[in-house]
Amino acid sequence: MTVHLRDYTAPAYEIPETHLDFSLSPEATRVISRLKLVRRDKDADRITLQGEKLVLNSVAIDGQTVGTDRYELTDTSLTLLGLGETAEVEISVTIAPKDNTALMGLYMSGGRYCTQCEAEGFRRITYFLDRPDCLSRFTVRVEADKDNFPTLLSNGDTVENGDAGNGRHYAVFVDPHPKPTYLFALVAGAFDSIFDTFTTRSGQAVKLGVHVDPGQAGRAHFAMDALKRSMKWDEDVFQREYDLAEFHIVAVRDFNFGAMENKGLNIFNSSLLLADADTATDADFLNVERVVAHEYFHNWSGNRITLRDWFQLCLKEGLTVYRDQEFSSDMRSRPLQRIHDVQGLRAIQFPEDDGPLAHPPRPSEFETIENFYTSTVYNKGAEVVRVLRELLGAEGFAEGMQRYFDDNDGTAATLEDFMAAFDFGSVEAREAAFRWYQQAGTPTLTMKRAHDAGTGEVTLTLTQSQKPTPGQTDKAPLPIPLRIGFLDSAGQVLPLSNDGTASEEHHLTFDSAETQLRFDGAAEMPIPAILRGFNAPVKVETDLTQDEKLVQMAHDPDPFTRWDTGQLMMAEAMLARADGKAQSGPPLERIAEALAGEFQRADFEPGFVARAIRPASVSELIMQTHTPDPAALFAAQLDTRRALSAALADQREAEFARPAPDPQSLDNDAIGRRALRSTFLFLAAAEGEASADLALKAFREAGNMTDSMAALRALAEIGGPAFDRALSTFETRWKSDPLVMDKWFSLQAMAPQDGTERVRKLASHPLFSLKNPNRARSVYGAFANANPVCFHAEDGSGYDLVAEALIQLDPINPGTAARIVRSFETWKRFDNNRQAHARAALERVLAAAKSTNLKEVITKTLRG
Ligand code: TRP
Ligand code: ZN
């Protein structure tokens, strides 16, 4: 059952008005919907509504209860027959939220009711046109037991509430903004709530509420603050104001994804909302800030302007990720944010683009849309917006964004509508840029130099190429925005001229298969950086020599380039070692020397240095190797870490001799210094037992969760009884805190020495459950994604372990199973023996799988 973009047709009827009436009860919730249907297509007399796992009680059309002569019912639909120009339809169904373990539709989490309707969850609540282009004005009445469910929430503004008799109460909500079903939300339960107010720039007061598990209010304040900063930022940077009198965020423990942008009522995975220094790491805080912003920004990029169909998903997700990345850059450090985002892109999106699940940011077909909430749609989607900004210039981009918001407000739009808002100068230029959305695969950009000593001219020959991806063999060139700058061999900035103007940095677009760029004024062969800031999602190959790269990593004025070239040098050193050819790689002493220079810079930023001196993970190295041997790569990484640790011992001692940064402070310097200490522990842990004292001391003295986790991660690598003691100390302290225990579980699942055994034990821990996605991911997701040595074990034991778990998980929660199974996407990079183990494991899961979600991912993975 493949759905194709080219088959889009608008629905035959519209539903301008929807009334929903919920009488909540765990086993039998009654949902009555009253829909106003208006014909669009003049020949139509019927409409098929989607519905799944519903018990139909009754159907009435225009006030008359009707029988099967007026409707057809299947497992997944209700077709209303004999309709005229307009109709009033009333449908009553019963559902069982308590039995809903898939966590799509209306379900219960921690004894509270909540919903998740994106992408196709609303059809598990009632029969409806469950598609994003059906915009309806919702009025919702919610009734529930008063003592157990004191807080009632739905989208929009509360217009009425009161007692409903029999110990029950009710509230009525009106959302004045027409919206598709995927943005519907309902919450009922006992919460601790904190409230605040935000006044928009046009003077509207907005009541803000953050609702969390009882006892957790202290961990909600950071999210509230992040929300207010997001609201202000969207006014300042994108001129976007909030548009309702209330805005609520609710945290739930059982959630399939990060968070959801339901109109006026965002629902969050508690792992992305609750944060205080005792229980959350700095990385968690930054994630909370980013996701609060992301969901809030959807109010415009997603809700006010929604999607015509799910193929356009990237229109809201890519754009909103771009917006949240910009927000984080403004709140924190722009270069660090860029490094963080590119590292994530390369770790997850590049492998996806290079494997059997590769697809363009706008796919043209799918079986289950839930499987397309991918890194390509989200992260490459954001990169494409960044490419557009570079192509158009900051001003042209900003103007186009305003035009997009103005022209499409209140509609269900397409990526074509988005592109139409920008002035590219020509139809051809717009079409060329649009290809970024339509082509899968990561382009490779190569650069070769020639220098004419007589004229001082340097010529850069650039080529771009793209490998075929599943279902897409022909690739046209893409417009790649470049920022080019040069150094001389001593590391001095060289302002060469292009077209007669000398400049330290040249902004140019490369949009053909091959081109030559000429620059004047170079007395010697210069050292160019061509993709400063990394403003296009491409792989770069250059002809720079080892010596030149060492100069570049030490001296390029662009921090991204220094970080990137340093990573490349370290990776080359590690890959050479793993190959038994350490001599042919760049010498570690010289790399360490260049890195040591970072500590001396006038613009020294500890958070940057923490990333600069941390060599690539084994997973990253796997992506750079043909038939990788994870154990050999790990050994090479350990070697390299030991060498760097020894070379940077003075810097480490100097840092640890200083008083620790304030454990409550989240300013750049405090976060950066903690990150630096953490990297030092990581480097030192490669020395094994010899570093145990350092790690244990750090564990004992840890003043917050960031420091505790950094020390524990180091101990996990050192292993032995010290690690087990630390684990049990930690468990005793945190056993009643699920979010912290998730960290305890995943830390062990990632332990490289004995991860497989540990995971087998963890699965029978009393606190383990496959029903909670966070917990399932903390064990199996962490193992499959972040323990490459054990997951890719030669004997297939890692694959088997994950396969067994997936077989159990699929009937409980197919969406989560289909996400964890993606870790197999790199299987064809490995040797025949590992491939055979992976194939057998996948085939076993496929044979047992019941869900379309899991079957689609495995079938494509095996085929690719
Ligand atoms: N739109 C959500 C976001 O902000 C994604 C999302 C939340 C989702 N819950 C989901 C996607 C469940 C699929 C299934 O990015
Ligand atoms: Zn989103």
Side-chain angles (χ1 to χ4, degrees):
M1 273 256 295
T2 306
V3 191
H4 296 271
L5 167 62
R6 59 167 187 266
D7 292 343
Y8 174 82
T9 49
Y13 281 80
E14 291 175 3
I15 312 180
E17 294 284 341
T18 301
H19 286 253
L20 297 174
D21 187 339
F22 288 84
S23 180
L24 294 173
S25 122
E27 272 111 24
T29 287
R30 197 211 50 212
V31 186
I32 298 174
S33 63
R34 270 188 292 128
L35 318 178
K36 181 172 171 195
L37 298 188
V38 176
R39 186 153 70 192
R40 272 181 54 107
D41 169 354
K42 62 178 172 34
D43 300 323
D45 67 348
R46 56 174 58 201
I47 182 80
T48 296
L49 308 178
Q50 290 75 41
E52 283 172 18
K53 299 185 162 37
L54 307 172
V55 175
L56 180 64
N57 302 321
S58 62
V59 181
I61 300 178
D62 294 327
Q64 298 288 317
T65 300
V66 297
T68 48
D69 57 323
R70 294 294 303 279
Y71 66 80
E72 285 167 12
L73 187 64
T74 75
D75 278 353
T76 55
S77 68
L78 172 70
T79 302
L80 304 173
L81 308 171
L83 300 173
E85 192 135 357
T86 64
E88 289 275 344
V89 177
E90 185 175 299
I91 302 170
S92 167
V93 300
T94 301
I95 53 180
K98 196 167 146 259
D99 301 335
N100 182 348
T101 60
L103 314 183
M104 294 299 290
L106 177 66
Y107 64 94
M108 300 197 77
S109 175
R112 289 169 278 271
Y113 293 94
C114 63
T115 53
Q116 173 54 39
C117 293
E118 186 175 9
E120 299 183 332
F122 193 79
R123 60 189 64 185
R124 290 162 185 236
I125 293 175
T126 185
Y127 294 98
F128 205 88
L129 279 180
D130 192 15
R131 46 188 288 166
D133 60 349
C134 175
L135 273 57
S136 193
R137 210 180 305 268
F138 281 74
T139 302
V140 179
R141 181 181 183 280
V142 184
E143 186 196 301
D145 181 87
K146 194 171 183 167
D147 289 341
N148 293 320
F149 307 98
T151 300
L152 304 177
L153 293 166
S154 188
N155 320 85
D157 299 318
T158 318
V159 295
E160 195 187 323
N161 54 47
D163 202 276
N166 290 327
R168 291 170 75 80
H169 68 151
Y170 76 96
V172 179
F173 304 86
V174 173
D175 182 355
H177 299 279
K179 65 170 176 293
T181 46
Y182 82 88
L183 292 172
F184 170 79
L186 177 161
V187 168
F191 293 94
D192 270 5
S193 303
I194 62 168
F195 294 98
D196 208 326
T197 311
F198 179 83
T199 305
T200 68
R201 67 173 179 186
S202 63
Q204 301 296 311
V206 182
K207 177 183 172 186
L208 310 177
V210 177
H211 312 271
V212 300
D213 284 12
Q216 303 294 318
R219 288 157 89 175
H221 295 288
F222 180 75
M224 179 66 91
D225 183 59
L227 173 61
K228 290 193 287 180
R229 285 184 282 129
S230 306
M231 295 177 88
K232 176 78 168 68
W233 186 89
D234 215 14
E235 292 185 349
D236 292 347
V237 178
F238 281 93
Q239 277 80 57
R240 296 299 110 197
E241 262 187 62
Y242 189 61
D243 52 9
L244 285 167
E246 297 178 36
F247 186 85
H248 298 273
I249 301 180
V250 176
V252 299
R253 167 84 186 129
D254 303 281
F255 200 74
N256 280 348
F257 221 69
M260 181 63 212
E261 71 265 24
N262 317 299
K263 182 78 187 187
L265 177 52
N266 292 354
I267 299 182
F268 272 60
N269 188 324
S270 52
S271 69
L272 287 161
L273 195 85
L274 300 175
D276 63 16
D278 283 351
T279 59
T281 63
D282 293 337
D284 294 330
F285 275 102
L286 299 187
N287 266 330
V288 168
E289 180 171 288
R290 174 180 69 79
V291 179
V292 165
H294 178 99
E295 305 311 332
Y296 174 72
F297 296 157
H298 269 313
N299 190 55
W300 276 92
S301 48
N303 302 3
R304 287 288 287 252
I305 303 175
T306 191
L307 311 178
R308 188 193 71 170
D309 56 70
W310 288 119
F311 294 101
Q312 320 297 329
L313 183 57
C314 186
L315 174 59
K316 75 178 175 80
E317 295 305 345
L319 178 56
T320 305
V321 171
Y322 171 79
R323 277 151 53 70
D324 81 54
Q325 291 177 348
E326 284 296 297
F327 169 77
S328 295
S329 301
D330 286 346
M331 293 296 123
R332 308 283 162 180
S333 148
R334 185 163 283 272
L336 266 187
Q337 185 64 34
R338 194 65 199 125
I339 290 169
H340 172 267
D341 292 334
V342 175
Q343 207 163 29
L345 185 80
R346 287 176 175 164
I348 303 168
Q349 200 278 326
F350 280 18
E352 186 168 275
D353 236 354
D354 197 43
L357 302 171
H359 55 278
R362 183 168 79 178
S364 50
E365 54 178 78
F366 60 72
E367 279 170 56
T368 314
I369 183 58
E370 247 105 62
N371 286 336
F372 278 86
Y373 288 76
T374 60
S375 181
T376 297
V377 168
Y378 277 69
N379 303 101
K380 185 168 179 175
E383 295 304 321
V384 174
V385 176
R386 185 170 286 98
V387 165
L388 300 182
R389 182 198 68 196
E390 291 290 297
L391 296 176
L392 296 157
E395 243 171 74
F397 176 73
E399 274 170 33
M401 282 304 306
Q402 293 313 309
R403 199 170 309 129
Y404 170 67
F405 287 127
D406 291 345
D407 290 355
N408 297 282
D409 188 13
T411 72
T414 60
L415 280 159
E416 280 82 353
D417 296 325
F418 181 60
M419 295 300 280
F422 297 102
D423 182 2
F424 286 93
S426 72
V427 175
E428 293 73 30
R430 168 174 298 127
E431 281 170 1
F434 195 32
R435 270 180 226 136
W436 277 105
Y437 282 117
Q438 295 167 303
Q439 286 184 185
T442 308
T444 298
L445 170 61
T446 65
M447 186 273 293
K448 288 204 169 56
R449 295 165 296 168
H451 177 247
D452 183 332
T455 60
E457 185 182 78
V458 54
T459 305
L460 306 184
T461 301
L462 303 180
T463 62
Q464 58 169 302
S465 61
Q466 296 165 76
K467 285 192 293 182
T469 51
Q472 198 178 61
T473 43
D474 292 341
K475 313 271 185 185
L478 296 161
I480 301 175
L482 306 172
R483 293 192 179 199
I484 303 176
F486 299 88
L487 300 182
D488 68 16
S489 56
Q492 294 295 313
V493 170
L494 265 187
L496 301 187
S497 56
N498 172 250
D499 279 342
T501 31
S503 171
E504 292 185 359
E505 194 168 86
H506 306 268
H507 296 200
L508 301 164
T509 299
F510 169 42
D511 58 5
S512 57
E514 179 172 337
T515 197
Q516 296 194 322
L517 303 176
R518 280 170 238 285
F519 299 86
D520 290 310
E524 51 165 31
M525 176 67 97
I527 306 171
I530 59 171
L531 200 64
R532 281 186 178 164
F534 199 84
N535 290 306
V538 300
K539 293 177 185 163
V540 181
E541 287 170 7
T542 73
D543 63 356
L544 296 193
T545 64
Q546 256 180 32
D547 283 342
E548 289 172 324
K549 283 186 266 194
L550 285 162
V551 171
Q552 185 172 69
M553 75 178 273
H555 298 292
D556 201 273
D558 174 40
F560 181 87
T561 300
R562 290 204 309 281
W563 170 79
D564 199 23
T565 307
Q567 289 294 309
L568 181 69
M569 290 280 84
M570 287 189 276
E572 283 178 9
M574 292 187 279
L575 295 174
R577 265 169 188 70
D579 238 6
K581 297 184 206 130
Q583 299 316 316
S584 70
L588 289 175
E589 316 78 71
R590 298 201 49 205
I591 294 178
E593 205 179 298
L595 293 174
E598 286 292 343
F599 290 85
Q600 308 300 326
R601 291 181 65 95
D603 59 357
F604 169 74
E605 195 183 340
F608 173 79
V609 179
R611 284 182 181 275
I613 66 173
R614 179 183 279 261
S617 68
V618 174
S619 304
E620 289 172 274
L621 295 175
I622 285 175
M623 291 310 299
Q624 299 173 38
T625 321
H626 292 285
T627 59
D629 174 353
L633 292 170
F634 183 47
Q637 195 219 39
L638 286 173
D639 242 18
T640 301
R641 283 159 59 188
R642 272 191 292 272
L644 292 177
S645 188
L648 298 171
D650 290 349
Q651 287 83 349
R652 177 182 66 233
E653 278 157 27
E655 171 53 44
F656 281 102
R658 295 176 63 189
D662 174 0
Q664 297 294 322
S665 169
L666 284 170
D667 71 25
N668 250 351
D669 193 62
I671 292 180
R673 283 188 54 215
R674 283 192 288 270
L676 185 57
R677 287 170 171 231
S678 168
T679 300
F680 279 134
L681 292 180
F682 169 74
L683 295 178
E687 288 163 29
E689 273 303 324
S691 70
D693 285 350
L694 181 71
L696 277 171
K697 183 166 185 287
F699 185 65
R700 255 183 270 114
E701 290 174 4
N704 62 20
M705 187 51 70
T706 305
D707 292 342
S708 288
M709 285 305 292
L712 258 188
R713 274 194 299 269
L715 287 166
E717 287 208 57
I718 298 164
F723 177 43
D724 287 315
R725 271 199 304 278
L727 277 175
S728 77
T729 309
F730 192 92
E731 183 185 10
T732 309
R733 170 145 186 223
W734 296 112
K735 59 178 180 292
S736 55
D737 192 307
L739 290 178
V740 181
M741 285 307 284
D742 287 337
K743 299 181 194 302
W744 182 86
F745 276 98
S746 63
L747 182 95
Q748 296 178 72
M750 294 185 318
Q753 331 281 356
D754 47 6
T756 314
E757 275 162 61
R758 284 187 185 273
V759 167
R760 291 213 179 269
K761 277 199 213 116
L762 290 175
S764 52
H765 190 283
L767 291 176
F768 183 74
S769 165
L770 280 176
K771 288 207 172 130
N772 176 258
N774 290 0
R775 190 55 48 83
R777 284 188 288 252
S778 76
V779 173
Y780 293 105
F783 179 80
N785 282 312
N787 194 341
V789 175
C790 296
F791 179 59
H792 298 289
E794 216 175 344
D795 61 1
S797 54
Y799 302 146
D800 291 345
L801 178 70
V802 176
E804 283 164 39
L806 291 171
I807 291 171
Q808 289 179 53
L809 182 56
D810 184 50
I812 300 171
N813 187 328
T816 301
R819 218 157 282 139
I820 292 176
V821 78
R822 283 173 177 269
S823 309
F824 281 94
E825 77 184 343
T826 57
W827 72 292
K828 288 238 167 134
R829 307 187 74 87
F830 291 87
D831 54 83
N832 291 337
N833 166 51
R834 283 186 173 87
Q835 283 195 27
H837 284 302
R839 176 185 287 283
L842 285 171
E843 283 174 349
R844 248 183 301 131
V845 182
L846 184 60
K850 295 276 181 294
S851 72
T852 337
N853 302 55
L854 190 54
K855 284 193 243 177
E856 179 181 21
V857 178
I858 299 181
T859 309
K860 288 183 176 167
T861 304
L862 284 169
R863 196 196 299 151

mmCIF file of all heavy atoms in Angstrom, residues 261 294-295 298 317 378, ligand 2:
data_model
loop_
_atom_site.group_PDB
_atom_site.id
_atom_site.type_symbol
_atom_site.label_atom_id
_atom_site.label_comp_id
_atom_site.label_asym_id
_atom_site.label_seq_id
_atom_site.Cartn_x
_atom_site.Cartn_y
_atom_site.Cartn_z
ATOM 1 N N GLU A 261 3.730 19.801 18.779
ATOM 2 C CA GLU A 261 3.361 21.212 18.706
ATOM 3 C C GLU A 261 1.861 21.488 18.668
ATOM 4 O O GLU A 261 1.448 22.538 18.165
ATOM 5 C CB GLU A 261 4.001 21.823 17.457
ATOM 6 C CG GLU A 261 3.402 21.361 16.101
ATOM 7 C CD GLU A 261 4.146 20.201 15.444
ATOM 8 O OE1 GLU A 261 4.819 19.431 16.154
ATOM 9 O OE2 GLU A 261 4.024 20.061 14.208
ATOM 10 N N HIS A 294 11.542 24.865 19.554
ATOM 11 C CA HIS A 294 11.097 24.188 18.334
ATOM 12 C C HIS A 294 9.572 24.076 18.297
ATOM 13 O O HIS A 294 8.931 24.466 17.318
ATOM 14 C CB HIS A 294 11.754 22.809 18.259
ATOM 15 C CG HIS A 294 11.350 21.989 17.069
ATOM 16 N ND1 HIS A 294 12.120 21.902 15.932
ATOM 17 C CD2 HIS A 294 10.253 21.223 16.843
ATOM 18 C CE1 HIS A 294 11.501 21.124 15.058
ATOM 19 N NE2 HIS A 294 10.370 20.682 15.585
ATOM 20 N N GLU A 295 9.002 23.537 19.358
ATOM 21 C CA GLU A 295 7.546 23.331 19.361
ATOM 22 C C GLU A 295 6.824 24.675 19.345
ATOM 23 O O GLU A 295 5.810 24.834 18.666
ATOM 24 C CB GLU A 295 7.109 22.495 20.567
ATOM 25 C CG GLU A 295 7.810 21.140 20.704
ATOM 26 C CD GLU A 295 7.851 20.296 19.439
ATOM 27 O OE1 GLU A 295 6.943 20.430 18.602
ATOM 28 O OE2 GLU A 295 8.808 19.501 19.292
ATOM 29 N N HIS A 298 6.757 26.154 15.865
ATOM 30 C CA HIS A 298 5.777 25.516 14.982
ATOM 31 C C HIS A 298 4.458 26.286 14.941
ATOM 32 O O HIS A 298 3.667 26.092 14.026
ATOM 33 C CB HIS A 298 5.477 24.095 15.462
ATOM 34 C CG HIS A 298 6.342 23.014 14.863
ATOM 35 N ND1 HIS A 298 6.609 22.934 13.513
ATOM 36 C CD2 HIS A 298 6.954 21.942 15.434
ATOM 37 C CE1 HIS A 298 7.369 21.848 13.290
ATOM 38 N NE2 HIS A 298 7.595 21.238 14.436
ATOM 39 N N GLU A 317 9.063 20.770 9.337
ATOM 40 C CA GLU A 317 10.119 20.285 10.226
ATOM 41 C C GLU A 317 11.502 20.860 9.894
ATOM 42 O O GLU A 317 12.212 21.314 10.778
ATOM 43 C CB GLU A 317 10.151 18.759 10.247
ATOM 44 C CG GLU A 317 8.891 18.118 10.839
ATOM 45 C CD GLU A 317 8.544 18.611 12.240
ATOM 46 O OE1 GLU A 317 9.406 19.229 12.897
ATOM 47 O OE2 GLU A 317 7.398 18.401 12.675
ATOM 48 N N TYR A 378 14.227 16.209 8.960
ATOM 49 C CA TYR A 378 14.462 17.226 9.988
ATOM 50 C C TYR A 378 15.782 17.972 9.767
ATOM 51 O O TYR A 378 15.798 19.188 9.630
ATOM 52 C CB TYR A 378 14.490 16.575 11.378
ATOM 53 C CG TYR A 378 13.123 16.364 11.976
ATOM 54 C CD1 TYR A 378 12.234 15.435 11.442
ATOM 55 C CD2 TYR A 378 12.705 17.085 13.081
ATOM 56 C CE1 TYR A 378 10.983 15.232 11.993
ATOM 57 C CE2 TYR A 378 11.449 16.890 13.648
ATOM 58 C CZ TYR A 378 10.584 15.966 13.106
ATOM 59 O OH TYR A 378 9.354 15.780 13.648
HETATM 60 ZN ZN ZN B 2 8.907 19.597 14.708
#
